[in-house]
Amino acid sequence: MRTIELNKRQDQILQIVKENGPITGEQIAEQLNLTRATLRPDLAILTMAGYLDARPRVGYFYTGKTGTQLLTENLKKIYVKEYQSIPVVVNESVSVYDAIVTMFLEDVGTLFVTDGNSHLVGVLSRKDLLRASIGKQELTSLPVNIIMTRMPNITTCEKDDLLIDVAKNLIDKQIDSVPVVRKTSNGDLEVTGRITKTNITKAFVALVED
Ligand code: ADP
């Protein structure tokens, strides 16, 4: 398995370096009957992807890393802050009815709930709102803090966390999204972003396409 699809020339270069490395770009170009300038983009790609390493005055050599090792290394370089999106937040006193309207207008699957000081107090998922709607309650007068999942049972992440760790948490906890939070000096949590399954899917695709 490979993290990126190599083209024919890149495969040839890899083969040459495997057999002859360390080898200079000039020497690789000679073997392929190409100019050094023609090879430069391919060498850059192979080096960036981690297949080759370049040492000044020595040349290129093969790192021996497999596609899976490189994929793992690259996954561990993706942080929450690169993929987080804007959080949609409602106050704990708003009605279930208004929360449903907000969910449609903002086109999100999860709302984060804050108190009067903008600190995180709960989470509302689509099913939380559906569940509240099948009862006989009056939705316009039922506040969301009655039905939300509340602190301290909220799974959160921070902007400098690894995205792969958040992905594991989504699976373990069987949830669709987590708020990105910043801890205040009092230990309260401010919501600064959100990570959803969609963000993680985007990162997954970018990993292959980059
Ligand atoms: P849905 O229930 O609409 O499929 P989820 O799977 O995200 O959406 O939510 C399942 C349950 O977990 C809901 O009751 C929801 O309130 C709760 N929940 C969602 N996100 C979190 C979170 N980050 N931390 C704790 N509980 C959460």
Side-chain angles (χ1 to χ4, degrees):
M1 193 182 88
R2 293 206 145 127
T3 45
I4 54 167
E5 271 313 309
L6 299 183
N7 66 31
K8 187 156 166 278
R9 188 189 288 155
Q10 290 160 357
D11 258 332
Q12 286 175 321
I13 295 171
L14 211 53
Q15 211 49 45
I16 291 172
V17 179
K18 243 189 220 179
E19 286 164 14
N20 308 290
I23 180 170
T24 65
E26 205 61 58
Q27 291 165 324
I28 301 171
E30 240 166 63
Q31 290 209 27
L32 289 170
N33 276 324
L34 295 166
T35 66
R36 174 82 180 80
T38 316
L39 282 193
R40 195 161 290 133
D42 290 320
L43 286 170
I45 287 169
L46 290 170
T47 309
M48 268 193 316
Y51 289 104
L52 299 184
D53 220 339
R55 285 213 196 112
R57 286 182 300 279
V58 178
Y60 292 92
F61 59 93
Y62 184 61
T63 58
K65 286 177 184 158
T66 64
T68 316
Q69 278 172 311
L70 294 171
L71 185 64
T72 308
E73 277 179 18
N74 286 330
L75 265 174
K76 289 185 178 162
K77 288 181 200 150
I78 307 177
Y79 291 93
V80 162
K81 58 173 170 255
E82 298 166 54
Y83 281 93
Q84 68 182 26
S85 31
I86 295 167
V88 179
V89 172
V90 294
N91 186 275
E92 61 182 337
S93 63
V94 306
S95 68
V96 169
Y97 182 93
D98 284 340
I100 293 172
V101 172
T102 303
M103 194 173 265
F104 275 100
L105 289 179
E106 302 284 347
D107 195 17
V108 290
T110 309
L111 299 173
F112 302 125
V113 184
T114 54
D115 63 14
N117 297 316
S118 300
H119 298 143
L120 179 69
V121 291
V123 169
L124 286 167
S125 79
R126 282 180 276 226
K127 262 183 257 157
D128 293 333
L129 295 171
L130 277 175
R131 195 182 303 113
S133 308
I134 46 181
K136 290 236 153 52
Q137 299 125 322
E138 180 52 58
L139 298 186
T140 50
S141 54
L142 179 66
V144 290
N145 63 12
I146 306 289
I147 66 148
M148 68 189 186
T149 300
R150 60 190 63 251
M151 286 288 280
N153 299 321
I154 307 294
T155 305
T156 63
C157 70
E158 293 185 12
K159 69 178 181 10
D160 294 320
D161 289 345
L162 284 175
L163 199 61
I164 187 69
D165 291 332
V166 179
K168 283 185 201 154
N169 252 336
L170 292 184
I171 294 171
D172 289 348
K173 307 273 167 65
Q174 299 187 352
I175 51 179
D176 291 345
S177 104
V178 298
V180 184
V181 298
R182 201 176 63 85
K183 219 184 198 129
T184 69
S185 47
N186 305 330
D188 294 315
L189 301 180
E190 282 172 6
V191 184
T192 60
R194 76 190 153 100
I195 290 287
T196 68
K197 287 177 176 173
T198 307
N199 301 114
I200 290 166
T201 309
K202 281 183 183 158
F204 181 73
V205 171
L207 198 62
V208 174
E209 287 187 342
D210 276 357

